[in-house]
Amino acid sequence: MINTTDPVLDEAPGQNKEVPHVLPERIMSTHPTHAVTAEVPRLEDKTIQPIPADERHGKARDLFTIWFGSNIMIMTIVTGGLATTVFGLSFVPAIVAIIIGNLVGGIFMALHSAQGPQLGVAQMIQTRGQFGSYGALLIVVIVVIMYVGFFAANLVFGGQALAAVSPGISVDTGIIVIGVLSVIATIFGYRLIHAYARVLSIVAGLALVLAFVWILAVHGLPASFLDQGNFNWVGFMATISVSALWQLAYAPYVSDYSRYMPQGTGSAPAFWASYSGCVLGTLFPMVLGALVGTLALALINDGSTVEIVGSLGAMLGPWTMVIIGIFCLGVAASNAMNLYCGVLCTLTIGQTFRPAWLPHAKTRTIAAILIFTLALLIALFARDNFIFFYTNFLSFLMYVLVPWTAINLVDYYLLRHGDYRVEDFFKRDGGVYGRFNWVAIGAYVAGALIQVPFSATAVFTGPIAAAMNGVDVSWIVGLVVVAPLYYFAARVFRKKSEAAPFQSPAFAAELIEAPRA
């Protein structure tokens, strides 16, 4: 049972201010009731707690819209443009690499998404099941850094886009506008973010179609279009890696947006809705970015000076303000998702040391403002040379996320088959998972180190990557090594108490023991 004899709870606005001494009875509900269909508060009052039966709602198709709508934005387009500008590929190889990377990376992203309806908790809380209550902090801290970095990147690209289409708005002002919209969505939480993405799925989807039609049919392609760039293995593998990483970067929080789904949603529908939404929502904007990059090269023939957002605006003619403005709304949606999950991770760190603490909306608001302030300072400081920062930031993420995703998926699907004792995630000693799972931690460190000789970045190139003329296959090596290493080590060293079989609960909330009288 979770220790709640002296809880520290902050109430959501409108709640009774009396501090309860036990978790709410509805969280302890072991079976679905008629209240399952009850209206969920517009202002989300949950953060890292297990989602009770009477607040489970939604359908698998909601996972399609949230990942489709939120990916149609400026940063996705800029990332696709890296293939033809920074990595020097011609258009056709760039498209092939973008497709391969997204199709492969999306598999891992969607496998994580399917965990949400089963367990009903945030992804980083669930990571305690692999690394232990304190061991998981290694991952959670890295993921918070990732959220702050992506938030800052979105602020810069969104601010630049707003300034490009609105001469009266400076880049700094655009950065602040995008950030404030993201903070507001984060304060309201899960429900508003899902609704925002549903609208964007239609509006941004139509804007994307219009952008392609206008550029291809009205602006037109020059005769030298396919002659720009070339094929090179370094650029091809880098594009695959960046595209796969775009999908993998969602892994640490994708189930945060499926944890409210009824457990009866099923793993397969959750997987395919998330996979199709995220892959399609990413693939087409990235192709647009590669297209714009190639067209810009045909005019100036210098990839280092191509500015994707400005080039896109120049090509869209009278539609510039409308289309880029809509894409900026996508930036705000994506940033709200980054900020929301960054807040959950930050609260997870705090709850590790105070197991009885169950934060609500007020704490989410305060944490969101603090993280926004940090990301804002980074964005304002680094905005003048952000592409260099962004490409190296992506390389860093690849090295630290790949070992974690391999361990998490092997543990969930191959070792435990989705059976976890959710109440132990909230215990100071980690329950059956302990404070530290040295098998997982060792596999993670080994996975990070094994990638070093195969890595190739602007800062460091490993000996094996150098021998392959700078081709970076580090993330592939990391997956291939870590997955079997953790699987066999965990089977050998797994504690007997963990190995004892137990029946999968009907709802994740069933795992929380009822309070003693």
Side-chain angles (χ1 to χ4, degrees):
M1 175 178 178
I2 299 176
N3 177 15
T4 57
T5 57
D6 186 22
V8 181
L9 300 174
D10 60 357
E11 63 277 4
Q15 287 185 323
N16 191 323
K17 294 187 177 180
E18 181 180 354
V19 178
H21 292 285
V22 295
L23 291 175
E25 181 67 25
R26 59 198 180 98
I27 293 183
M28 257 81 68
S29 174
T30 58
H31 298 288
T33 67
H34 293 295
V36 171
T37 58
E39 183 77 3
V40 177
R42 297 286 177 178
L43 179 67
E44 182 190 7
D45 66 339
K46 296 289 183 297
T47 54
I48 58 175
Q49 305 92 322
I51 305 304
D54 64 343
E55 290 192 21
R56 296 292 193 104
H57 66 284
K59 299 182 183 296
R61 64 173 177 265
D62 296 331
L63 298 177
F64 176 89
T65 55
I66 193 168
W67 296 112
F68 183 79
S70 63
N71 274 294
I72 304 176
M73 60 170 176
I74 291 295
M75 197 165 84
T76 323
I77 297 169
V78 171
T79 303
L82 296 177
T84 52
T85 56
V86 175
F87 302 140
L89 292 177
S90 54
F91 183 70
V92 174
I95 300 310
V96 172
I98 288 172
I99 292 173
I100 293 173
N102 278 287
L103 291 178
V104 173
I107 295 172
F108 299 97
M109 173 269 185
L111 286 172
H112 286 287
S113 179
Q115 299 176 18
Q118 170 67 12
L119 299 177
V121 293
Q123 185 72 68
M124 287 296 102
I125 289 288
Q126 189 257 7
T127 295
R128 293 172 176 175
Q130 293 93 52
F131 289 83
S133 59
Y134 285 91
L137 291 175
L138 169 67
I139 310 301
V140 179
V141 170
I142 290 173
V143 169
V144 170
I145 295 172
M146 180 192 79
Y147 290 136
V148 173
F150 271 125
F151 193 97
N154 265 327
L155 288 178
V156 171
F157 296 137
Q160 290 174 342
L162 279 180
V165 300
S166 305
I169 298 179
S170 67
V171 173
D172 289 352
T173 302
I175 287 173
I176 294 172
V177 169
I178 295 292
V180 170
L181 289 175
S182 305
V183 171
I184 292 172
T186 302
I187 290 172
F188 279 87
Y190 180 95
R191 188 184 182 106
L192 179 60
I193 293 173
H194 263 280
Y196 192 177
R198 278 194 294 271
V199 173
L200 280 175
S201 293
I202 299 173
V203 176
L206 291 174
L208 185 65
V209 171
L210 178 58
F212 272 113
V213 171
W214 186 269
I215 291 174
L216 294 175
V218 179
H219 182 276
L221 304 181
S224 61
F225 177 79
L226 294 179
D227 296 330
Q228 304 303 314
N230 57 64
F231 175 83
N232 64 89
W233 279 108
V234 175
F236 188 74
M237 291 304 301
T239 302
I240 291 177
S241 297
V242 167
S243 301
L245 174 62
W246 186 275
Q247 301 290 336
L248 284 171
Y250 289 124
Y253 69 87
V254 60
S255 68
D256 295 1
Y257 294 99
S258 61
R259 75 191 198 280
Y260 274 88
M261 299 283 171
Q263 193 179 39
T265 300
S267 295
F271 173 91
W272 287 112
S274 301
Y275 183 82
S276 58
C278 203
V279 169
L280 293 175
T282 303
L283 185 61
F284 291 111
M286 282 192 177
V287 170
L288 178 61
L291 173 66
V292 170
T294 305
L295 282 170
L297 283 173
L299 297 175
I300 62 176
N301 201 31
D302 183 3
S304 63
T305 62
V306 170
E307 207 278 298
I308 294 294
V309 177
S311 299
L312 176 62
M315 295 172 192
L316 291 175
W319 293 102
T320 298
M321 185 172 293
V322 173
I323 293 176
I324 292 187
I326 291 173
F327 290 161
C328 286
L329 294 177
V331 172
S334 179
N335 249 6
M337 295 172 69
N338 286 323
L339 183 57
Y340 176 84
C341 297
V343 168
L344 294 186
C345 286
T346 303
L347 299 182
T348 296
I349 294 172
Q351 195 272 339
T352 301
F353 301 101
R354 303 185 70 184
W357 184 45
L358 298 176
H360 288 282
K362 182 193 297 183
T363 303
R364 184 175 67 245
T365 299
I366 296 171
I369 293 172
L370 292 175
I371 294 175
F372 161 66
T373 302
L374 175 60
L376 178 64
L377 293 175
I378 294 173
L380 295 176
F381 175 77
R383 67 179 178 84
D384 293 330
N385 193 25
F386 211 79
I387 284 293
F388 177 80
F389 165 82
Y390 182 56
T391 52
N392 284 282
F393 176 66
L394 292 177
S395 299
F396 163 76
L397 288 183
M398 182 66 78
Y399 303 138
V400 297
L401 286 181
V402 163
W404 169 79
T405 198
I407 291 168
N408 178 273
L409 295 179
V410 166
D411 193 83
Y412 185 91
Y413 288 101
L414 301 182
L415 293 174
R416 303 186 193 275
H417 307 288
D419 286 341
Y420 288 88
R421 307 187 187 206
V422 173
E423 82 276 16
D424 284 13
F425 295 162
F426 296 87
K427 293 180 178 178
R428 184 185 299 274
D429 63 359
V432 296
Y433 308 112
R435 289 183 171 87
F436 297 93
N437 180 355
W438 293 109
V439 173
I441 294 171
Y444 179 84
V445 172
L449 293 176
I450 197 66
Q451 295 178 81
V452 173
F454 298 88
S455 64
T457 69
V459 178
F460 171 80
T461 298
I464 298 179
M468 296 189 296
N469 297 318
V471 175
D472 190 331
V473 294
S474 57
W475 66 280
I476 299 174
V477 174
L479 283 173
V480 170
V481 170
V482 174
L485 173 64
Y486 177 69
Y487 176 80
F488 290 110
R491 289 184 66 88
V492 171
F493 296 105
R494 189 177 179 187
K495 297 176 183 178
K496 291 183 179 179
S497 61
E498 291 185 61
F502 58 96
Q503 187 174 2
S504 179
F507 279 83
E510 183 177 326
L511 290 174
I512 300 181
E513 298 175 10
R516 294 183 176 88

